[in-house]
Amino acid sequence: MSESYAEKAAALDAVDELGKLRAQFVLDDAVYLDGNSLGALPRSVPGRVEDVVRRQWGSLRIRSWDESGWWTAPERIGDLIAPLVGAAAGQIVVSDSTSVNVFKAVVGAVRLAGGGDGHGDGDGEGGGGGRDEILVDATTFPTDGYIAASAARLTGCTLRPVTPDEVPGALGPRTAAVLLNHVDYRTGRLHDLPSLTAAIHDAGAVAVWDLCHSAGALPVGLDEHGVDLAVGCTYKYLNGGPGSPAYLYVRRDLQPRFDSPLPGWNSHADPFGMTPDFTPAPGALRGRVGTPDILSMLALEAALEVWDGVSVAAVRAKSLALTDFFLECVSAYVPEGAVESVTPAAHAERGSQVALRCSDAGGVMRRLIERGVVGDFREPDILRFGFTPLYVGFGDVERAARVLAEITS
Ligand SMILES: *Cc1c(COP(=O)(O)O)cnc(C)c1O
């Protein structure tokens, strides 16, 4: 039995057109299924960081803001991320953390909708056109929920947590903005971005999508589906490194009206004019705030080189094949009833991870890691395995399922 799945894995690896990309990453014998928490290190990064530190900073010093392209890095790297999320150039800026960008996007969305109390002073009074409600994914990653709650208080809106399935029924003339996750971080469920965005627009509200668990793993189609605003991190499937800066997408036609709640000198039309009054820069770069974190930013730029010539469609096809094969091996190897998948079986509803409910999941994950199979434990009872198609192979998948079976038998 086990041999036949190992043979099948070898056959799948042999025809995997993305298999050669693994050599572009620093990896060891471990089966690394945690790229949805921290992507592996691309080989292009250490040398670049060395150059940025020693030459650009050490020798060129302040000249590097121009000569090494430091000043324009947020827009330049945004344009490298754009094709991965289906956006034309000029709509994405890289800066700050995802949490901070969620704040910019949700407050910006309420302002675009003409919502809130119209003052932004949080007193809940007066003339915001009646749109005084923000819907947020009730199953969201916590930071998005905390920040949406604060954004609601600041704008004089009410925050209403609903599951993504409940969004169409919850939308109405009071809805200003909706903050949703493309893929649920816990279960790996892929939400229907096209139809939810259309429903949000039909209600006259503004859609904000969090792409943390989809960008780099599956097609997003921001432009195609008319998404208003989006945010995402770069250290998961984009392999930018720990704490690498996040990004903000502002659809081109909304840019002139996008009113960031964090205007900084970097988002000023004339940053070196040093004027007391704020005039926002044109384009996506009004999403910037202050001085960019250049070391992380340029590590990310090097990390994105692995995407040269890689099609997101091929990545998606491999991702689904990997998760299908994992589920197949788990059901063949693991004793009946020991684990239960909470990730949807339907491809249209599945991201690039498999979450298995398991008793003593914390202990099981500890033993998996001891045996070289690295995933995540998520409270209270979830084993979470992320599949990064750029460097995970089918042999890895078979081994992960086999070790899991040994531990749970
Ligand atoms: C990973 C993740 C974040 C991370 O936010 P940080 O500000 O980078 O810590 C936020 N939201 C979601 C949905 C995530 O998956």
Side-chain angles (χ1 to χ4, degrees):
M1 192 68 174
S2 121
E3 222 165 52
S4 70
Y5 285 97
E7 280 165 13
K8 188 168 173 185
L12 288 165
D13 279 327
V15 297
D16 172 16
E17 57 173 293
L18 300 180
K20 61 184 186 301
L21 294 172
R22 182 185 168 96
Q24 295 193 32
F25 290 87
V26 176
L27 289 162
D28 52 23
D29 289 340
V31 175
Y32 192 65
L33 302 180
D34 220 351
N36 54 346
S37 264
L38 177 65
L41 171 65
R43 290 195 186 278
S44 54
V45 170
R48 179 71 56 86
V49 170
E50 168 98 17
D51 180 62
V52 171
V53 172
R54 291 196 186 279
R55 187 181 60 85
Q56 298 185 9
W57 179 15
S59 297
L60 297 178
R61 290 184 289 271
I62 201 150
R63 289 166 52 189
S64 274
W65 284 106
D66 288 325
E67 290 178 26
S68 304
W70 288 0
W71 184 261
T72 51
E75 301 89 80
R76 182 177 73 244
I77 301 169
D79 284 347
L80 295 177
I81 294 171
L84 304 178
V85 292
Q91 300 174 100
I92 294 182
V93 71
V94 175
S95 76
D96 312 301
S97 63
T98 302
S99 301
V100 171
N101 283 297
V102 168
F103 179 76
K104 294 177 206 169
V106 174
V107 174
V110 172
R111 291 176 176 177
L112 283 169
D117 65 9
H119 302 148
D121 57 6
D123 68 0
E125 287 172 22
R131 293 195 180 267
D132 61 357
E133 201 168 75
I134 298 171
L135 302 182
V136 66
D137 180 352
T139 59
T140 192
F141 186 86
T143 206
D144 298 55
Y146 305 154
I147 286 171
S150 181
R153 279 197 288 143
L154 279 164
T155 55
C157 286
T158 306
L159 184 73
R160 194 169 155 203
V162 290
T163 64
D165 290 348
E166 292 166 346
V167 164
L171 289 163
R174 291 182 56 179
T175 315
V178 185
L179 172 61
L180 291 170
N181 296 290
H182 197 192
V183 173
D184 183 297
Y185 80 101
R186 193 183 279 112
T187 62
R189 178 180 291 275
L190 171 64
H191 295 122
D192 188 342
L193 180 145
S195 79
L196 286 166
T197 302
I200 292 164
H201 288 167
D202 285 347
V206 175
V208 181
W209 284 94
D210 185 322
L211 310 178
C212 280
H213 284 274
S214 59
L218 52 95
V220 178
L222 289 178
D223 287 353
E224 180 186 352
H225 304 302
V227 168
D228 301 295
L229 303 170
V231 303
C233 71
T234 61
Y235 51 76
K236 293 172 183 165
Y237 294 105
L238 299 179
N239 313 304
S244 57
Y247 57 90
L248 172 69
Y249 165 91
V250 182
R251 200 181 68 215
R252 191 180 310 282
D253 59 299
L254 298 176
Q255 290 170 357
R257 291 198 297 124
F258 179 71
D259 179 9
S260 171
L262 294 174
W265 74 291
N266 273 231
S267 43
H268 197 286
D270 179 18
F272 293 94
M274 307 285 172
T275 59
D277 295 331
F278 182 74
T279 307
L285 62 88
R286 67 174 58 188
R288 288 175 65 161
V289 185
T291 306
D293 36 8
I294 291 297
L295 302 185
S296 285
M297 181 92 61
L298 299 188
L300 167 63
E301 186 172 36
L304 291 169
E305 285 175 4
V306 303
W307 290 94
D308 281 353
V310 174
S311 101
V312 177
V315 166
R316 174 60 167 165
K318 181 173 172 188
S319 159
L320 288 170
L322 287 167
T323 50
D324 274 345
F325 188 56
F326 183 64
L327 290 166
E328 191 183 335
C329 290
V330 165
S331 76
Y333 289 172
V334 175
E336 185 88 36
V339 299
E340 176 206 354
S341 174
V342 299
T343 300
H347 284 179
E349 296 175 8
R350 192 193 304 162
S352 198
Q353 75 180 54
V354 171
L356 301 177
R357 184 170 286 138
C358 175
S359 65
D360 187 25
V364 170
M365 184 51 73
R366 213 172 322 110
R367 274 174 284 160
L368 279 166
I369 292 168
E370 278 164 16
R371 297 195 47 192
V373 176
V374 182
D376 271 326
F377 162 58
R378 284 289 176 264
E379 291 282 359
D381 56 1
I382 296 291
L383 302 171
R384 197 181 76 161
F385 302 98
F387 297 83
T388 301
L390 301 185
Y391 54 74
V392 172
F394 293 90
D396 295 325
V397 167
E398 191 272 344
R399 181 173 146 207
R402 187 157 32 83
V403 174
L404 177 62
E406 287 162 15
I407 290 171
T408 52
S409 292

